[in-house]
Amino acid sequence: MSCSAPSMDRIFLQLGPLPIYWYGVIIATGAFIGLFLATRESDRLGLKKDLMVDLVVFAIPIAIISARIYYVLFEWEQYDGGKWWDVFAVWNGGIAIHGALIGSVITAIVYTRVKKVSFWQLADIAAPSIILGQAIGRWGNFMNQEAHGGPISEATFNSFHQYLPDFIMNQMCIDGIMYHPTFLYESFWDILVFIFLLVLRRYNPVRGEVFLSYVITYSIGRFFIEGMRTDSLYVVGELRTAQLISVILVVLSIVLIIYRRKSGMAEKRYDGKKIQSTKKK
């Protein structure tokens, strides 16, 4: 479907020669809101607030670096032969959430071992904050006009997209063509996952299962939404990296849940209480 609409300014604030982009502002906003929620939950469970704050101080920069490395590795042709500093231009977009998760999880594992606290406990606390941060962060893609899907047909637009706010669809008008706002689809899915995790932890599940449920539900949504995107990273041929990783994460998370329950590794619930044995003596 053809269209005509001006795009939004990607710059939030110009400080002399230094531009501050909406992309960075939105990502930072998501991180701060997530941290606020995580510290409140830590306090409710009787943990020191500094425990989560210190983890985030280490995890966020490492997550950004690993997300960028992940993206650049799979999009090396885009940077090969160009200016070397383009590799570091995160403000232009180009970070992969799976790369960020890998970096964050590794950081959390090392951190919890050093602090001698439960990785699964902190992971459960952080899970709702992570997915809410992702939901907010997708609007950074919106400002950059990236992470969108293929062109929208006029029939599809008239049946659904015409009811979306004009500012969203105008921003999806790129070079005279209207595209699917897949950033919006994923942001909406992430909010649903966020609500689900908040409800789940009220039922005090086995420790670790809030985080693993986050991995499963996010990955399911990402698998289907990724199939609509036009900027996917590919492993080989037409095999999309995010879809492959999503399937692997779902399978591994389900296996982990079953294994931890059967092996007795999951000895505590979300709030730290011991699991009461149901075995007959």
Side-chain angles (χ1 to χ4, degrees):
M1 173 180 169
S2 60
C3 60
S4 176
S7 61
M8 294 182 180
D9 190 350
R10 293 173 54 237
I11 298 177
F12 169 74
L13 183 64
Q14 187 77 38
L15 298 176
L18 179 65
I20 298 177
Y21 291 91
W22 273 108
Y23 184 85
V25 172
I26 292 172
I27 294 293
T29 300
F32 280 117
I33 292 175
L35 176 59
F36 172 74
L37 294 178
T39 52
R40 284 193 62 181
E41 184 64 9
S42 297
D43 186 53
R44 188 182 74 84
L45 295 177
L47 299 176
K48 294 180 180 179
K49 288 185 178 181
D50 290 348
L51 194 66
M52 188 60 67
V53 173
D54 290 345
L55 172 58
V56 170
V57 167
F58 290 111
I60 287 182
I62 293 175
I64 294 174
I65 292 171
S66 60
R68 184 61 174 178
I69 291 173
Y70 184 101
Y71 181 86
V72 171
L73 285 176
F74 284 101
E75 282 286 292
W76 182 245
E77 292 181 0
Q78 177 181 333
Y79 301 96
D80 188 23
K83 298 175 182 177
W84 64 268
W85 54 81
D86 286 343
V87 171
F88 304 98
V90 179
W91 50 88
N92 288 328
I95 58 175
I97 187 60
H98 283 132
L101 289 175
I102 292 171
S104 298
V105 169
I106 293 175
T107 303
I109 290 173
V110 174
Y111 178 82
T112 51
R113 287 190 176 183
V114 171
K115 294 290 185 177
K116 297 181 180 179
V117 295
S118 169
F119 163 78
W120 293 112
Q121 184 179 31
L122 292 192
D124 279 347
I125 293 171
S129 295
I130 294 172
I131 195 66
L132 181 60
Q134 290 175 231
I136 295 171
R138 278 301 172 196
W139 288 85
N141 298 131
F142 164 73
M143 294 303 300
N144 277 359
Q145 294 184 306
E146 60 187 6
H148 58 73
I152 295 176
S153 68
E154 190 168 348
T156 300
F157 178 84
N158 290 333
S159 63
F160 173 69
H161 294 87
Q162 66 168 322
Y163 301 109
L164 294 176
D166 288 341
F167 79 93
I168 291 179
M169 297 315 299
N170 287 344
Q171 188 70 352
M172 288 296 98
C173 179
I174 305 170
D175 297 328
I177 298 176
M178 186 73 73
Y179 291 94
H180 275 278
T182 46
F183 85 90
L184 178 64
Y185 307 158
E186 186 167 332
S187 182
F188 180 71
W189 175 258
D190 291 347
I191 291 173
L192 292 180
V193 173
F194 170 70
I195 295 171
F196 165 71
L197 295 180
L198 292 183
V199 172
L200 175 63
R201 74 184 188 189
R202 290 179 65 88
Y203 288 90
N204 201 21
V206 172
R207 181 175 286 181
E209 292 190 7
V210 173
F211 176 73
L212 292 173
S213 296
Y214 149 68
V215 175
I216 292 170
T217 49
Y218 167 69
S219 296
I220 290 173
R222 179 61 186 270
F223 178 87
F224 290 102
I225 295 170
E226 187 68 23
M228 303 176 65
R229 287 175 54 169
T230 59
D231 61 345
S232 297
L233 304 178
Y234 292 88
V235 182
V236 179
E238 294 301 312
L239 181 59
R240 299 174 190 252
T241 307
Q243 288 185 314
L244 175 63
I245 296 297
S246 294
V247 171
I248 293 173
L249 288 176
V250 169
V251 173
L252 284 178
S253 297
I254 293 174
V255 169
L256 260 177
I257 289 174
I258 296 172
Y259 174 74
R260 293 181 74 245
R261 285 192 173 193
K262 287 190 173 182
S263 66
M265 291 179 66
E267 297 179 347
K268 294 182 178 180
R269 297 197 174 277
Y270 174 77
D271 63 2
K273 294 180 180 178
K274 284 282 187 177
I275 296 175
Q276 298 296 319
S277 176
T278 57
K279 294 181 180 179
K280 294 182 179 180
K281 294 183 179 179

